[in-house]
Amino acid sequence: MMYTLCLLLLFIACFLIQDRIAAQGCPCSKLSFGPGNIVCRCNASYCDTVEPIEPLTSGNFALYTSNSNGSRLVKSVGSLSKSTAGVVVRIDTNASYQSLFGFGGAFTDAAAINIANLSSGAANYVIDSYYGPQGIEYSVGRVPIGSCDFSTHPYSYDDVDGDFNLTKFQLAKEDLTLKIPLIQRAISVSKRNISFFGSPWTAPAWMKTNNNLTGKGSIRGEAGNSYHKAWALHFVKFLDAYKQHNISFWGLTAQNEPTDGNIDHFPFQATGWTPEQQRDFIAKDLGPTLHANGYKDIKLMMLDDQRLLMTYWADTILADPDASKFISGVAVH
Ligand SMILES: *[C@@H]1O[C@H](CO)[C@@H](O)[C@H](O)[C@H]1NC(C)=O
Ligand SMILES: *[C@@H]1O[C@H](CO)[C@@H](O)[C@H](O)[C@H]1NC(C)=O
Ligand SMILES: *[C@@H]1O[C@H](CO)[C@@H](O)[C@H](O)[C@H]1NC(C)=O
Ligand SMILES: *[C@@H]1O[C@H](CO)[C@@H](O)[C@H](O)[C@H]1NC(C)=O
Ligand SMILES: *[C@@H]1O[C@H](CO)[C@@H](O)[C@H](O)[C@H]1NC(C)=O
Ligand SMILES: *[C@@H]1O[C@H](CO)[C@@H](O)[C@H](O)[C@H]1NC(C)=O
Ligand SMILES: *[C@@H]1O[C@H](CO)[C@@H](O)[C@H](O)[C@H]1NC(C)=O
């Protein structure tokens, strides 16, 4: 089997690409903002599409080209043929690296507000372009838990001081009128299973040392206390609430940019953590609470911050077996 494959590859390596034939769907309607600065314009009745990936006949190849001149995943199909040009392509099928899970975008308030403001035809094209089979077929979606810097104002899901059991938890009107309808439209046009993951920016103010949704502040006290337990339960309440709207989550990050909330006068929604604090919160509160409430299969990601922090945070948190047993990966920006 392996021998046959190698022979086949050698055979292909002796061939050179030729005879490309452009095979396009709806082309880019170009709008120029100067040389090399072209966008594709969509309106209520027209939008460019991506030719779907289809099986090719033996000996053919497909090439998708995007460039600064307005080509957007323009598909060409060509055939492989013998060459005398001396070009050799070697493919080492034994060397495989990490697999790619998917590409995606975020369902923020801002995205939903802007899409909601389009005509219904143009809004459908935007959603199709991202999630539909004639678009780029995103398969991952990030959903802010509560408000974030792409919201028009700071808000939380439970402003009742001391409501440790979160009996007053409720989604905001931004979830009900903007994000959830947009997510449901993406699901309805997608031919794939979109893997959603949630990320919080800020805990409710009463859980925080600065009693504010923005600025410098962390969860009050130490991991394992009632504030940390309430904050862990908040993730469960969010997952449960979205489930009632038929939206299931594949993953979570423990905190968007956990270092932001350690910065004085930080301008937008944040909750500050050190790696030691996040480690202890995951080990004592978040991991056990997710498991106890039916979310043991959810992929929990640590960090979710800048790349330069990655090794220090990973070393600190993953070295602790009580934390690392709950962690599926490290999220980086
Ligand atoms: C929509 O875009 C298409 C393609 O650019 C164009 O032909 C058409 O006139 C536009 N329609 C409107 C109403 O602007
Ligand atoms: C860019 O597009 C213009 C108009 O379609 C075309 O005339 C030109 O040759 C293209 N340039 C490149 C580098 O593809
Ligand atoms: C792949 O590995 C097998 C087994 O080690 C070896 O026989 C074969 O030559 C390798 N193929 C390539 C393309 O390196
Ligand atoms: C749509 O845009 C207008 C003006 O640009 C703005 O006033 C309005 O609030 C927007 N609508 C929504 C739903 O955001
Ligand atoms: C939270 O719920 C638990 C278990 O139902 C109960 O014992 C406790 O009193 C509640 N706490 C608050 C602050 O209501
Ligand atoms: C989507 O997920 C369901 C349930 O896990 C599975 O049965 C189905 O094959 C998946 N579909 C695609 C297109 O991956
Ligand atoms: C939270 O912080 C912002 C920015 O410093 C400030 O404008 C606002 O009044 C604060 N809110 C509360 C409830 O203290």
Side-chain angles (χ1 to χ4, degrees):
M1 174 75 174
M2 183 56 81
Y3 181 69
T4 317
L5 189 61
C6 289
L7 273 186
L8 181 69
L9 285 171
L10 282 174
F11 185 64
I12 289 172
C14 303
F15 282 67
L16 187 69
I17 289 163
Q18 69 167 37
D19 294 344
R20 281 203 281 123
I21 303 151
Q24 218 187 336
C26 298
C28 170
S29 167
K30 296 181 186 182
L31 179 61
S32 177
F33 288 91
N37 200 358
I38 289 170
V39 302
C40 303
R41 179 171 34 184
C42 297
N43 60 28
S45 56
Y46 188 87
C47 199
D48 51 294
T49 59
V50 180
E51 286 276 306
I53 297 168
E54 282 159 352
L56 292 163
T57 49
S58 171
N60 284 349
F61 66 91
L63 176 70
Y64 288 82
T65 304
S66 295
N67 62 26
S68 58
N69 203 24
S71 291
R72 295 289 183 269
L73 296 168
V74 176
K75 183 182 181 182
S76 322
V77 178
S79 58
L80 300 162
S81 67
K82 245 181 191 155
S83 163
T84 53
V87 175
V88 178
V89 179
R90 286 201 184 83
I91 300 169
D92 183 357
T93 51
N94 288 351
S96 64
Y97 299 94
Q98 67 269 40
S99 56
L100 189 68
F101 182 70
F103 291 92
F107 290 87
T108 61
D109 295 354
I113 287 167
N114 284 301
I115 292 170
N117 232 359
L118 296 172
S119 67
S120 69
N124 287 338
Y125 276 130
V126 171
I127 295 159
D128 286 345
S129 294
Y130 282 114
Y131 288 93
Q134 298 213 300
I136 54 178
E137 297 201 82
Y138 272 4
S139 59
V140 184
R142 189 183 195 207
V143 184
I145 300 176
S147 65
C148 75
D149 49 328
F150 284 83
S151 301
T152 56
H153 64 112
Y155 57 83
S156 100
Y157 295 142
D158 188 343
D159 289 326
V160 180
D161 190 356
D163 182 21
F164 291 105
N165 284 344
L166 300 178
T167 57
K168 304 293 183 216
F169 179 101
Q170 55 178 7
L171 293 178
K173 79 171 190 323
E174 283 80 358
D175 297 271
L176 301 173
T177 65
L178 292 169
K179 282 152 61 173
I180 288 172
L182 183 62
I183 291 168
Q184 287 170 337
R185 287 171 79 180
I187 291 171
S188 74
V189 303
S190 177
K191 296 271 181 282
R192 297 164 183 261
N193 289 322
I194 307 170
S195 299
F196 294 102
F197 70 97
S199 302
W201 267 243
T202 180
W206 59 269
M207 294 186 194
K208 294 172 67 185
T209 52
N210 60 340
N211 196 32
N212 203 320
L213 300 172
T214 64
K216 179 181 180 177
S218 325
I219 304 293
R220 290 172 186 271
E222 306 283 319
N225 76 0
S226 54
Y227 289 99
H228 286 77
K229 291 268 176 274
W231 181 228
L233 184 62
H234 190 280
F235 288 79
V236 167
K237 294 281 181 183
F238 171 80
L239 297 170
D240 286 348
Y242 267 64
K243 196 185 271 175
Q244 287 184 355
H245 295 273
N246 295 319
I247 297 167
S248 296
F249 279 76
W250 161 83
L252 288 171
T253 70
Q255 173 65 45
N256 172 70
E257 297 188 345
T259 54
D260 288 354
N262 297 330
I263 298 169
D264 278 326
H265 310 297
F266 193 76
F268 59 80
Q269 295 88 328
T271 307
W273 302 87
T274 64
E276 292 79 11
Q277 287 169 334
Q278 186 168 85
R279 173 196 66 200
D280 295 345
F281 171 61
I282 289 170
K284 293 182 180 172
D285 307 299
L286 185 54
T289 302
L290 290 170
H291 279 234
N293 287 280
Y295 295 110
K296 72 176 174 49
D297 292 329
I298 208 148
K299 308 290 182 206
L300 179 62
M301 292 168 274
M302 52 164 282
L303 188 61
D304 199 3
D305 208 327
Q306 310 301 317
R307 196 177 49 166
L308 66 94
L309 301 169
M310 189 166 80
T311 50
Y312 176 54
W313 279 65
D315 286 346
T316 304
I317 298 179
L318 299 179
D320 178 2
D322 293 333
S324 67
K325 71 181 179 202
F326 294 117
I327 294 172
S328 296
V330 182
V332 271
H333 291 189

